[in-house]
Amino acid sequence: MPKKQKATVAKTPVFGANVFHEDVMREYLSPKIFKQVQQAIAGQRELDPKTAQVLADAMKTWAIGKGATHFTHWFQPMTGFTAEKHDSFFHPTEPGKAIMKFSYKELIKGESDASSFPSGGLRATFEARGYTVWDMTSPVFLKEDSAGTTLCIPTAFCSYNGEALDKKTPLLRSMEAVSKAGVRLLHAIGQTKVKKVIPTVGPEQEYFLIRREDYEKRPDIVFTGRTLFGARPPKGQEMEDHYFATIREPIGAFMKELDEELWKVGVSARTRHNEVAPSQHELAPMFAPANIACDHNQIIMETMKRVAARHGFVCLLHEKPFAHVNGSGKHNNWSLGTDTGLNLFEPGSNPAENDIFLIFLSAVIQAVHKHAALLRVSAATPGNDHRLGANEAPPAIISVYLGAELSAVLNSIAGENLIDSGLPKEHKMLDMGATALATVPLDSSDRNRTSPFAFTGNKFEFRMVPSTASIAAANFTLNTIVAEALDAFAERLEKAASKKEEIRAMVRETVKNHGAIIFNGNNYSAEWVAEAARRGLPNLSNTVDAADAIIAPETIAMYEKFGVLSKTELTSRHEIVLENYIKTIRIEGYTLADLAYRQIAPAALSQKSLLADAIGRLKGLGADSQPEEQRLTKISHLLRELDRKLNLLTDNLAKAETIEPHKEKAVFFRDQVLSATNDLRKTIDALEENIEADLWPFPTIAEILYHI
Ligand code: ADP
Ligand code: MG
């Protein structure tokens, strides 16, 4: 039975109230078992069945005490969403009676058929069976919703043969890889006390809130998450009056409840504000170890949707729900810390002499340059294709922003002005000198909001990540590519006679061989696109083109070397990316074709007959009917255009299905289906502007965006 409530819990009545965290464990477990469990969580020992059962019983007692009736293995399949299947604690004993049971086996491992999740062919070749395995490092929590209270156990999801079928497994593996490589490097530098390197992540989540009644009248949003048509609203975001604006009452009520729900499950929701587009908002949590940040981001997205429903809203996470205003992204703040409390990207007061900082920074520069295409595909979704390069988000070209001071530091170590610091011409880099730079506080370095991968003080902000997607791929990619670079540096340093000299040499080589990835200027400019091409940087404007980086030989070699993903797993992920692309564009095509045929054309036909009636009446009266006739001509013309474009779209949709294999099919969907959908949209938007409001069967973008 639980002992007396501990002061630490009482002090924070809301935060973490629904989390089975350390303090709760201490309360529910004997000191001996508590210690064993903590050691198991830290990866220092196995959890034996007896201890595991005591732990499972404690969880059950705690959960039932808080009203739980069910438990679930909560996992993150390749859909990018979370999945759950609830089992109740009830075990019938005799007719009409049951006991509440929760065995350690149920805690640790779940055997779910779950065969309908995307597997990219993995499960056709192996058993259809899938397993969920408890991720002990991510705390168990209680989810409260209309289904009651459910004990959620964060798990990884894998096939019978142990292949990862989820986003979580490679993330966990990559955390170990980067930790091992980081520790090896730190030990080689002489930091022998460090036992662990931890990637930390703070993802900022953007979203839109729209009224439920508008949502229900827009099948395009219901089926695809975005508006597939809609004329330009008279007012977009040009006044910039929504960014950081006062939070209106109904939105405030939503945000308050959202924060409280998140705090209860231990998500440290910290910052909330209005974003630049009308009806767009953002929430940022405090950073956490990558796997927990990933779980929390999933919880954030889920909770946003649930709480929105309670307030009569629908939360849109799509990267581009509305043309004509900004879409949403996720700024993935990423850093590396140690178990001894170091932030490895902390430049300190004298970065030019800070070996740890310089070598970790160099590793990132190398990694991002070498694997730019892979990093790009880690942020690729069909929705994000609308955003990247549209002057509202970073372009599809990966580059690293360092800022003037750091660029100068690297130039001075390289002994040449290899990096354009972005400073005015009259500033000679080398004249600034490393010693003088020591006095420049790095925090004051300018922000560059156009950069896809910006150094921001003591972390990197990867700004390409799609708002809908799990952050797992972005982070397991980052962790692994950096692990590779750190490991190579460690190998050299271990053999070096003078560590100091070798570090300088490695930094110098990085600047020389990989400095091309550094760009401090305006990423939105046309000149940068040309300049990036000259530098040989990949510009992968869409998911289909980016996808191949997943199966590039150097990708496979790296992921296999660091035990993060096997060739089979990568091939399956490549398949899933293309499959998801095809399905998304197909749904969009069919949705717009259906709306055009069954709702938009009929509205135009009604308008036509209204005008024809009016013309007849006016003519009968001998009155002027010219304006009506002009309108009628315009609508007739647009209707003919609509029919033509609609036929092309449906033809292309049918043709697309005949194409194999996947890559060619995806290319056809991109070049023939998506383009036909976009083209049809133009005519629909023109019709919207020519049909009277009462006849138009949908809320317009203006009405949706300015709902309050
Ligand atoms: P900004 O620098 O973008 O103005 P903040 O300093 O508030 O904003 O940080 C934005 C996000 O970056 C937050 O989620 C924050 O927790 C996260 N962050 C801060 N430090 C780190 C770190 N060391 N590792 C990962 N994320 C971090
Ligand atoms: Mg923001």
Side-chain angles (χ1 to χ4, degrees):
M1 283 313 284
K3 287 185 274 164
K4 210 162 61 62
Q5 280 265 314
K6 283 203 48 162
T8 41
V9 179
K11 234 179 4 197
T12 49
V14 178
F15 194 85
N18 284 351
V19 182
F20 193 72
H21 52 67
E22 221 181 284
D23 284 341
V24 183
M25 284 191 217
R26 215 191 294 275
E27 221 177 284
Y28 281 77
L29 300 169
S30 70
K32 188 171 151 235
I33 301 275
F34 173 79
K35 198 169 159 211
Q36 287 179 7
V37 170
Q38 290 305 312
Q39 286 169 338
I41 291 173
Q44 292 155 359
R45 66 181 290 159
E46 291 281 314
L47 201 58
D48 64 88
K50 233 177 94 194
T51 313
Q53 187 55 54
V54 177
L55 178 62
D57 283 336
M59 273 180 197
K60 183 194 71 179
T61 309
W62 170 77
I64 291 173
K66 286 180 155 289
T69 51
H70 289 72
F71 69 92
T72 183
H73 275 199
W74 184 76
F75 59 104
Q76 299 169 25
M78 294 299 294
T79 54
F81 306 115
T82 53
E84 51 192 76
K85 178 181 71 128
H86 301 180
D87 284 302
S88 85
F89 290 117
F90 292 113
H91 283 252
T93 46
E94 52 189 277
K97 286 197 175 157
I99 53 162
M100 306 282 260
K101 247 172 77 176
F102 183 46
S103 84
Y104 80 93
K105 287 184 187 155
E106 289 170 315
L107 164 65
I108 288 170
K109 188 169 147 198
E111 222 182 292
S112 88
D113 171 32
S115 54
S116 292
F117 291 114
S119 75
L122 269 186
R123 302 178 78 190
T125 42
F126 301 105
E127 283 219 30
R129 195 172 287 174
Y131 292 106
T132 47
V133 183
W134 182 27
D135 167 14
M136 296 182 72
T137 57
S138 182
V140 163
F141 63 95
L142 292 173
K143 187 153 125 177
E144 288 171 346
D145 56 19
S146 56
T149 303
T150 308
L151 178 70
C152 295
I153 303 151
T155 54
F157 179 45
C158 61
S159 78
Y160 181 70
N161 281 17
E163 271 112 358
L165 292 172
D166 67 350
K167 306 255 176 188
K168 187 78 178 279
T169 306
L171 180 61
L172 292 169
R173 292 176 185 159
S174 74
M175 289 172 75
E176 280 182 33
V178 77
S179 179
K180 217 168 131 194
V183 169
R184 183 178 174 192
L185 180 60
L186 287 167
H187 284 197
I189 298 178
Q191 292 280 329
T192 48
K193 286 212 180 77
V194 176
K195 290 201 194 71
K196 214 168 164 183
V197 167
I198 307 134
T200 50
V201 176
E204 307 165 40
Q205 177 76 46
E206 291 180 336
Y207 62 98
F208 281 83
L209 281 184
I210 67 168
R211 271 192 316 201
R212 172 124 216 133
E213 60 242 60
D214 289 338
Y215 171 81
E216 282 167 359
K217 287 187 206 129
R218 292 289 306 221
D220 50 345
I221 307 183
V222 174
F223 294 132
T224 72
R226 70 178 181 111
T227 50
L228 294 176
F229 62 88
R232 175 185 286 278
K235 183 184 176 202
Q237 65 192 40
E238 58 275 56
M239 301 298 284
E240 292 168 337
D241 51 357
H242 194 248
Y243 190 56
F244 285 14
T246 310
I247 295 164
R248 290 153 297 156
E249 287 284 314
I251 304 294
F254 161 85
M255 287 180 168
K256 177 174 184 284
E257 196 173 330
L258 174 63
D259 279 347
E260 285 168 1
E261 289 287 306
L262 292 172
W263 291 336
K264 268 199 261 178
V265 291
V267 176
S268 53
R270 194 175 144 81
T271 310
R272 56 189 192 195
H273 65 83
N274 286 338
E275 256 299 332
V276 69
S279 288
Q280 191 187 28
H281 316 280
E282 181 180 300
L283 181 146
M286 271 288 286
F287 68 94
N291 62 323
I292 292 175
C294 181
D295 284 0
H296 283 183
N297 183 248
Q298 294 292 341
I299 295 176
I300 287 172
M301 293 193 286
E302 246 179 76
T303 312
M304 280 177 170
K305 289 187 176 164
R306 197 169 63 240
V307 174
R310 294 185 200 150
H311 290 256
F313 294 131
V314 171
C315 170
L316 304 183
L317 294 173
H318 196 281
E319 290 80 16
K320 192 69 186 171
F322 305 100
H324 314 298
V325 294
N326 275 13
S328 299
K330 201 135 50 184
H331 289 179
N332 189 85
N333 294 274
W334 175 92
S335 188
L336 292 175
T338 66
D339 57 340
T340 53
L342 279 180
N343 178 336
L344 297 165
F345 297 113
E346 178 57 59
S349 54
N350 191 358
E353 296 298 327
N354 184 342
D355 286 349
I356 294 182
F357 170 71
L358 287 173
I359 202 67
F360 275 82
L361 176 71
S362 299
V364 171
I365 294 170
Q366 261 199 34
V368 175
H369 186 227
K370 190 168 165 207
H371 297 286
L374 189 61
L375 204 52
R376 162 70 182 92
V377 74
S378 80
T381 61
N384 222 18
D385 289 356
H386 299 289
R387 256 179 93 236
L388 303 180
N391 279 8
E392 61 173 77
I397 307 161
I398 300 261
S399 66
V400 177
Y401 169 81
L402 288 184
E405 293 90 349
L406 271 188
S407 300
V409 168
L410 292 185
N411 277 334
S412 77
I413 294 173
E416 276 179 79
N417 263 355
L418 290 168
I419 306 165
D420 180 2
S421 72
L423 282 181
K425 288 263 181 312
E426 57 271 21
H427 278 83
K428 280 263 188 306
M429 284 313 145
L430 291 171
D431 289 354
M432 293 182 66
T435 27
L437 285 168
T439 56
V440 179
L442 275 161
D443 283 349
S444 72
S445 77
D446 245 7
R447 290 298 177 97
N448 182 331
R449 290 285 169 202
T450 67
S451 173
F453 198 88
F455 182 72
T456 50
N458 59 9
K459 63 188 190 304
F460 290 90
E461 197 168 333
F462 183 27
R463 302 210 181 98
M464 253 188 200
V465 180
S467 50
T468 44
S470 155
I471 59 167
N475 290 295
F476 72 63
T477 305
L478 265 173
N479 293 343
T480 315
I481 63 177
V482 171
E484 181 188 50
L486 294 173
D487 195 59
F489 282 160
E491 183 138 0
R492 277 180 64 174
L493 265 186
E494 282 163 0
K495 294 182 197 135
S498 159
K499 312 273 179 204
K500 192 96 195 151
E501 275 315 301
E502 190 70 358
I503 288 174
R504 299 257 131 188
M506 294 191 300
V507 174
R508 205 173 305 125
E509 283 167 35
T510 301
V511 179
K512 283 211 162 90
N513 303 333
H514 302 283
I517 197 74
I518 298 166
F519 180 60
N520 293 314
N522 178 7
N523 283 258
Y524 293 176
S525 71
E527 295 84 68
W528 169 234
V529 177
E531 166 67 15
R534 269 196 298 281
R535 294 189 190 186
L537 301 179
N539 183 359
L540 300 161
S541 71
N542 61 81
T543 301
V544 183
D545 285 342
D548 288 348
I550 301 176
I551 45 166
E554 64 273 19
T555 304
I556 297 174
M558 173 189 70
Y559 275 128
E560 293 211 316
K561 177 171 177 193
F562 291 92
V564 174
L565 285 165
S566 68
K567 185 177 179 184
T568 325
E569 288 169 332
L570 286 162
T571 312
S572 97
R573 268 150 219 265
H574 177 249
E575 233 355 66
I576 290 170
V577 167
L578 293 178
E579 211 172 278
N580 178 55
Y581 185 87
I582 291 169
K583 287 177 181 169
T584 304
I585 307 301
R586 180 194 285 136
I587 294 171
E588 290 184 351
Y590 277 118
T591 302
L592 195 63
D594 180 71
L595 294 178
Y597 190 77
R598 297 197 310 122
Q599 294 198 60
I600 292 159
L605 289 167
S606 303
Q607 181 74 78
K608 250 181 95 169
S609 63
L610 274 183
L611 286 167
D613 288 352
I615 292 165
R617 273 198 309 277
L618 287 166
K619 281 203 166 141
L621 292 170
D624 174 21
S625 62
Q626 217 188 344
E628 284 75 10
E629 283 174 44
Q630 275 170 357
R631 281 189 172 215
L632 185 61
T633 312
K634 194 159 189 186
I635 289 174
S636 301
H637 164 75
L638 287 171
L639 252 172
R640 274 194 296 277
E641 198 176 273
L642 184 86
D643 269 342
R644 183 172 52 76
K645 291 182 175 181
L646 180 55
N647 285 338
L648 180 68
L649 174 58
T650 40
D651 282 354
N652 287 353
L653 276 162
K655 220 181 280 168
E657 300 309 337
T658 63
I659 298 170
E660 295 288 344
H662 256 110
K663 180 67 194 276
E664 275 95 275
K665 194 173 188 144
V667 168
F668 189 89
F669 266 97
R670 180 193 64 196
D671 295 343
Q672 309 299 330
V673 177
L674 179 60
S675 59
T677 308
N678 288 341
D679 205 32
L680 176 59
R681 179 213 171 113
K682 285 185 198 139
T683 308
I684 297 174
D685 291 358
L687 275 168
E688 184 184 307
E689 287 171 329
N690 283 283
I691 289 178
E692 46 186 284
D694 288 349
L695 287 180
W696 191 248
F698 311 100
T700 62
I701 290 188
E703 285 159 357
I704 299 173
L705 286 177
Y706 290 94
H707 55 77
I708 297 156

